[in-house]
Amino acid sequence: MQVLKPGGLANEGAAIELRSIDKSFGAVHAVRDVSMRIDAGRITGIVGENGAGKSTLMSILYGLYRADAGEILVGGAPLQMDSPRDAIAHGIGMVHQHFMLIDSFTVLENLVLGAEGGPLLAGGMAAARAELERLGREYGLWVDPDALVADLSVGEQQRVEILKVLFRGARILVLDEPSAVLTPQETEQLFRILTTLKERGVTVVLITHKLREIMATTDQVYVMRQGAIVASRATRDTNPEELAELMVGRKVLTRLDKAPARHGEVVLRTDHLSLVDARGVTLLQDIGLEVRAGEIVGIAGVSGNGQTELLQILSGIRTPSAGTVEVGGRVFDSAHPATPAEMRALGLAHVPEDRLRQGMVGAFSASETAILGYHEDAPFTNNYLLDGPAVGEHCADLMQRFDVRPRAPGLRSSSFSGGNQQKLVLAREMDQAPKVLLVGQPTRGVDIGAIEFIHRELVKSRDAGCAVLVVSVELEEILSLADRILVMFAGRIVGEVAPAEANERQLGLMMAGAQAAA
Amino acid sequence: MSTSRRPLPVWADIILLPLINIALAFIVVGIIVEIIGVDPFQALGLLVTGAVGSSESIGYTLYYATNFIFTGLAVSVAFHAGLFNIGGEGQAYIGGLGCGLAILAFDRFLPAWLLVPIAIAAAALFGAAWAAVPAWLQASRGSHIVITTIMFNFVASALMVYLMVNVLIAPGSMTPQSRGFAPSAALPVLLGSTLNLSIALALACCVAVWIFLWHTSWGYALRTMGHNPAAAVYAGTNLKRMTMLAMCLSGALAGLVSVNELMGVQHRILLDFQAGYGFAGIAVALMGRSHPLGVVLAALLFGALQQGGAELSFDIPGITREMVVVIQGLVILFSGALEHLPRPWLQAVLARRP
């Protein structure tokens, strides 16, 4: 780390200065009087829970929103940011969490998109190719210019996004939750790239809610809570515990306290389970697993290695090509497939990986979402007629017990924050006192405070004798929750590890397929 | 922090916004009418008196609205299931075949209290059956329902021409019409116009659709499928069965147009009695936000335009039938295709005054 004296540099050292930025959306005060100084040539982190105002603040900086009050200074001069074009013109580039690439275009074509340099492509493309090579050399960011984006790994796609921004001449790079979609190895690579960028004089702003990343990469960190900056620290003078407490506003247990599991009998078992899709691609191969009552089994793996399909089969949504699934003594196979309704009737509850796409209906009220899958059961339905008051009371009760905010059963499900949506779905599934609980990505897009709560509830379920199967791409989560860890890679279970003996590096290698346990 | 603005309150969404859309449409209509040399205020006056000026004209307006309610509801039910039923036209036509066949078969010996329910049931059943085929093709073969329902309109049309010309034509007649129904199949007429008791059936259907969609577990599953098919599968809904159910209900509602047209007005089967109502139902459903109450309001507007427009073209030579179609088209354009045009502005205005 190069040591710059922080004091006495005045404007010379500040790439961006925000002064008293304020922004409201209707009644919601999203950003409150935020002042911030982003030093040139360093990595500045902004941490905060979902909804703390980080993304809104960066959108103001990038010209997507206009601030209600306050000033933005870039390189010491006050600026009016009316659109992203202004931001780009002043050397500010943004890498979004969701990539904005065209899959069927090559890397080079994506790069010149919007900067074609004239009606004929050829000249612009040649210049772009030269520039891409220069950037690759200078920043160690090599990507094959002629590869189709669709063929690239997620980490490489992100590199293309960064290249796109540099290509447009950005000297200030804003990254919004960049590691959300990466494996641990890809994340490390990303951090090496960021460090190289810094050494070459690029200013980096990193928005994240993962404290480990803040500690590993940044020089300076700002903590946001409820729209305001609650603290700023030099990274070397702080620690994750302090930052977590600042983010949430109270002490947070980063380690989960749980008693050893009391194993009961096997309630969920699969045997030689395989899945081949319509194109002949093998998605799952020879999956054999057992989950006992009273234990949490964690499945670790980079997303897209068959976990999604496994959950679909176990919950009855998809039919396996071969093999059997046994739930509570009933055996299903490809000739006698289960349906989601049958599985639910057997006491299997399922919190799907993608709550917005599967677990809820955004346009429905929270109380309607709270009966999804149980809508034909008493007390919600009698003689085909929905009992509106009973449905409403049920939802109010769930909201009370699982601390879903705001406590408004009539509010549209999509209006709740991610964490509260997740708590609602989890509440619905746990409320049925299931024998088997399948949970996909229990805390995806969920705040630290809510993560702690969700983890405790899952352990509570386990202690009540439920067999819990957790699929997560967050290694830390698997390590703290699971009593046994299975690692999936390329549609197979490549190993089983006891959490006490596991470490992230070894698991990361297994997840990447480098080291299959014999 | 979400990037979208606060959604409009319900009353603004289903009443205020459509009213603004209609006002915009009428401003454009006024400009066009001015260009062809007619005083727009005089034309508007004639349109309004033509639609609601006397009890007779109100009767005609309501008679047209009855058809629009049936087809608007038909499109709405399918729409809530995420299905775009363009086949209301054909389903209404074949519904008329069922209605007419039932009456022709039984009107000589069944009393009215038995004949009328049977004919209504037959209309619904035939309409449902005509929608069931595209529904089945969608559910089991993945053939897109928009394409198949459009095709089925043509098939229905060809089938009816064949049947009317070769099979059902009254003996000795030169026009392709069936023999007249017995008086026991006629619905009571109201307000000295073509308005008849089928409007009560239409309103009953509105209530039934409202109860079904929002107060039964099947309606819940149907709406789940429409908003989020993946969530419906997750919830244990059989999508094929639900697709069939939604389309059959939709087809049955469209089929009921024939109750108004054949049992209320024409008293025989004839060609093209349903002309245009099936398609207009799409606009009615769009404008009515696929809600039964909205459908009734939109149907009243379309009925008034139909009736007032007819009077208008009768009274002012400069305004032809085609001009009336242009007026209807503009209303559909502004309240259907451009319905969201004033929305951001309205949201901004309402956000300022909470």
Side-chain angles (χ1 to χ4, degrees):
Chain A
M1 197 193 298
Q2 36 189 165
V3 183
L4 269 167
K5 278 249 183 293
L9 282 173
N11 282 333
E12 187 188 346
I16 300 173
E17 244 190 289
L18 301 177
R19 287 189 187 158
S20 306
I21 299 284
D22 219 87
K23 175 76 183 169
S24 298
F25 297 97
V28 181
H29 205 164
V31 174
R32 297 163 197 262
D33 192 27
V34 165
S35 296
M36 178 181 283
R37 183 192 143 103
I38 292 162
D39 294 329
R42 308 182 82 190
I43 301 181
T44 303
I46 302 177
V47 284
E49 296 194 289
N50 290 316
K54 306 170 299 219
S55 296
T56 308
L57 186 64
M58 286 304 116
S59 296
I60 291 170
L61 176 61
Y62 194 54
L64 289 167
Y65 297 143
R66 190 188 293 206
D68 298 337
E71 258 190 320
I72 302 173
L73 287 80
V74 178
L79 279 180
Q80 183 75 24
M81 294 281 185
D82 288 330
S83 77
R85 212 170 306 161
D86 294 332
I88 294 166
H90 291 96
I92 300 172
M94 188 138 174
V95 176
H96 297 270
Q97 187 176 354
H98 303 287
F99 302 154
M100 314 221 167
L101 298 173
I102 300 175
D103 278 356
S104 54
F105 276 19
T106 65
V107 170
L108 199 61
E109 284 169 332
N110 266 290
L111 207 64
V112 297
L113 193 68
E116 293 89 347
L120 288 177
L121 265 184
M125 291 288 257
R129 187 180 294 271
E131 175 68 5
L132 182 62
E133 268 172 28
R134 187 188 70 80
L135 291 171
R137 270 198 317 276
E138 192 173 336
Y139 300 115
L141 268 168
W142 197 84
V143 186
D144 177 6
D146 299 311
L148 285 182
V149 164
D151 298 335
L152 299 180
S153 73
V154 178
E156 286 173 315
Q157 290 186 11
Q158 191 171 54
R159 248 176 279 163
V160 177
E161 282 283 3
I162 295 174
L163 279 168
K164 241 170 75 177
V165 170
L166 295 173
F167 182 74
R168 279 162 182 61
R171 300 295 292 161
I172 302 165
L173 196 62
V174 182
L175 297 112
D176 190 0
E177 300 282 358
S179 66
V181 288
L182 303 182
T183 64
Q185 275 77 11
E186 283 174 326
T187 306
E188 258 169 49
Q189 251 169 15
L190 171 71
F191 292 157
R192 275 202 297 278
I193 290 169
L194 294 185
T195 311
T196 314
L197 287 172
K198 180 175 86 168
E199 282 162 7
R200 297 280 187 274
V202 176
T203 306
V204 178
V205 181
L206 180 67
I207 302 170
T208 183
H209 63 259
K210 294 185 189 166
L211 299 174
R212 210 164 49 98
E213 298 175 358
I214 289 290
M215 297 310 296
T217 52
T218 62
D219 302 306
Q220 168 89 15
V221 54
Y222 286 92
V223 184
M224 285 188 80
R225 190 170 75 227
Q226 288 166 3
I229 303 266
V230 291
S232 86
R233 297 277 186 276
T235 307
R236 60 176 177 275
D237 297 337
T238 186
N239 56 60
E241 287 73 27
E242 185 196 20
L243 290 178
E245 194 179 329
L246 286 166
M247 270 166 75
V248 183
R250 59 180 166 82
K251 278 235 177 282
V252 179
L253 293 172
T254 45
R255 259 209 147 7
L256 187 65
D257 279 327
K258 57 171 188 180
R262 290 192 310 269
H263 295 284
E265 59 189 272
V266 175
V267 279
L268 174 69
R269 187 203 312 269
T270 73
D271 204 18
H272 298 295
L273 205 59
S274 298
L275 179 67
V276 180
D277 75 0
R279 293 169 301 163
V281 178
T282 302
L283 298 172
L284 290 177
Q285 207 182 340
D286 207 21
I287 302 279
L289 59 82
E290 283 182 351
V291 187
R292 293 169 177 279
E295 71 167 346
I296 298 179
V297 172
I299 294 190
V302 180
S303 67
N305 277 289
Q307 303 98 311
T308 303
E309 291 77 10
L310 180 63
L311 281 180
Q312 285 173 341
I313 290 177
L314 294 180
S315 57
I317 291 170
R318 210 160 167 173
T319 305
S321 313
T324 58
V325 177
E326 191 183 329
V327 176
R330 278 208 45 199
V331 182
F332 300 95
D333 59 21
S334 55
H336 310 90
T339 66
E342 277 177 303
M343 284 301 199
R344 213 166 262 126
L346 285 170
L348 180 141
H350 176 200
V351 179
E353 284 183 301
D354 192 335
R355 56 181 171 265
L356 281 173
R357 278 228 313 260
Q358 257 191 346
M360 51 181 278
V361 181
F364 278 9
S365 66
S367 59
E368 284 181 302
T369 281
I371 60 168
L372 187 69
Y374 304 97
H375 55 276
E376 291 189 350
D377 303 347
F380 313 129
T381 293
N382 299 303
N383 303 320
Y384 299 104
L385 281 180
L386 278 180
D387 185 343
V391 171
E393 278 163 31
H394 168 71
C395 183
D397 174 50
L398 291 185
M399 287 178 149
Q400 176 71 38
R401 279 161 44 207
F402 281 77
D403 190 28
V404 178
R405 281 179 250 181
R407 297 232 197 322
L411 192 66
R412 265 173 79 102
S413 308
S414 59
S415 303
F416 288 84
S417 73
N420 284 300
Q421 289 173 349
Q422 185 72 353
K423 281 195 271 186
L424 187 62
V425 173
L426 211 64
R428 177 184 74 211
E429 297 303 319
M430 286 182 163
D431 182 54
Q432 305 294 322
K435 293 197 183 71
V436 182
L437 180 61
L438 308 176
V439 191
Q441 314 302 346
T443 57
R444 177 180 280 172
V446 170
D447 309 335
I448 286 198
I451 288 175
E452 187 192 351
F453 176 83
I454 289 172
H455 283 180
R456 275 208 316 266
E457 287 298 320
L458 288 174
V459 171
K460 231 191 263 175
S461 255
R462 177 200 76 161
D463 293 341
C466 179
V468 184
L469 183 73
V470 174
V471 168
S472 176
V473 292
E474 302 285 347
L475 267 185
E476 277 177 80
E477 175 163 270
I478 292 281
L479 283 168
S480 69
L481 263 182
D483 301 310
R484 286 194 292 133
I485 299 172
L486 302 175
V487 183
M488 276 189 84
F489 174 73
R492 302 162 66 101
I493 290 178
V494 292
E496 178 174 338
V497 188
E501 297 152 18
N503 64 60
E504 290 205 16
R505 190 180 150 67
Q506 175 207 359
L507 280 175
L509 284 171
M510 285 169 76
M511 283 160 64
Q515 182 197 338
Chain B
M1 297 296 98
S2 69
T3 55
S4 66
R5 290 163 194 265
R6 255 194 315 177
L8 288 175
V10 178
W11 61 269
D13 196 33
I14 68 170
I15 296 171
L16 193 56
L17 192 60
L19 284 180
I20 293 172
N21 284 323
I22 295 163
L24 287 173
F26 272 102
I27 289 169
V28 177
V29 169
I31 292 167
I32 295 172
V33 169
E34 178 76 44
I35 289 170
I36 60 171
V38 176
D39 176 13
F41 294 100
Q42 187 207 354
L44 183 65
L46 277 172
L47 187 78
V48 173
T49 42
V52 294
S54 65
S55 72
E56 194 191 355
S57 56
I58 290 176
Y60 279 107
T61 293
L62 292 178
Y63 148 73
Y64 289 123
T66 305
N67 283 342
F68 291 126
I69 290 176
F70 282 130
T71 54
L73 277 182
V75 175
S76 300
V77 167
F79 196 67
H80 276 290
L83 301 164
F84 210 13
N85 181 10
I86 314 280
E89 201 82 7
Q91 290 142 20
Y93 213 172
I94 298 300
L97 178 67
C99 174
L101 285 178
I103 294 172
L104 291 176
F106 299 123
D107 65 348
R108 300 260 162 84
F109 47 89
L110 283 186
W113 64 265
L114 199 53
L115 182 63
V116 169
I118 288 177
I120 291 174
L125 200 67
F126 272 58
W130 202 249
V133 184
W136 181 81
L137 288 170
Q138 161 97 53
S140 63
R141 290 280 174 272
S143 317
H144 203 286
I145 203 126
V146 169
I147 310 291
T148 48
T149 49
I150 288 179
M151 303 285 214
F152 263 61
N153 289 338
F154 294 109
V155 178
S157 181
L159 179 68
M160 286 300 280
V161 170
Y162 171 81
L163 288 176
M164 293 314 298
V165 171
N166 296 295
V167 183
L168 293 170
I169 192 165
S173 167
M174 296 302 286
T175 45
Q177 296 180 342
S178 75
R179 72 168 169 84
F181 299 158
S184 56
L187 294 175
V189 170
L190 309 166
L191 295 178
S193 61
T194 47
L195 179 65
N196 58 73
L197 208 55
S198 57
I199 193 168
L201 178 65
L203 294 176
C205 285
C206 286
V207 175
V209 164
W210 179 73
I211 291 174
F212 171 77
L213 284 177
W214 283 282
H215 296 279
T216 69
S217 56
W218 286 18
Y220 174 92
L222 183 146
R223 285 184 299 123
T224 305
M225 178 174 87
H227 283 295
N228 188 341
V233 171
Y234 163 82
T237 303
N238 184 330
L239 293 196
K240 291 182 184 176
R241 220 176 289 164
M242 196 46 77
T243 301
M244 295 294 292
L245 174 71
M247 280 304 286
C248 286
L249 279 177
S250 178
L253 286 163
L256 293 179
V257 165
S258 62
V259 174
N260 187 27
E261 285 294 326
L262 301 188
M263 295 171 73
V265 181
Q266 306 288 353
H267 307 299
R268 55 175 53 79
I269 316 177
L270 68 172
L271 291 179
D272 289 328
F273 67 85
Q274 88 306 349
Y277 292 112
F279 289 123
I282 299 167
V284 171
L286 271 176
M287 196 170 164
R289 297 281 178 283
S290 297
H291 190 283
L293 185 62
V295 164
V296 170
L297 296 175
L300 285 174
L301 175 76
F302 275 71
L305 279 177
Q306 188 99 345
Q307 167 58 16
E311 293 286 322
L312 191 59
S313 67
F314 192 72
D315 284 347
I316 301 183
I319 295 182
T320 57
R321 279 303 306 179
E322 286 69 37
M323 196 58 218
V324 175
V325 175
V326 169
I327 295 174
Q328 288 178 339
L330 281 167
V331 172
I332 293 173
L333 181 69
F334 273 91
S335 56
L338 301 178
E339 61 163 339
H340 298 301
L341 198 65
R343 185 182 288 268
W345 170 80
L346 189 59
Q347 280 170 331
V349 169
L350 289 178
R352 236 172 284 156
R353 278 181 284 143

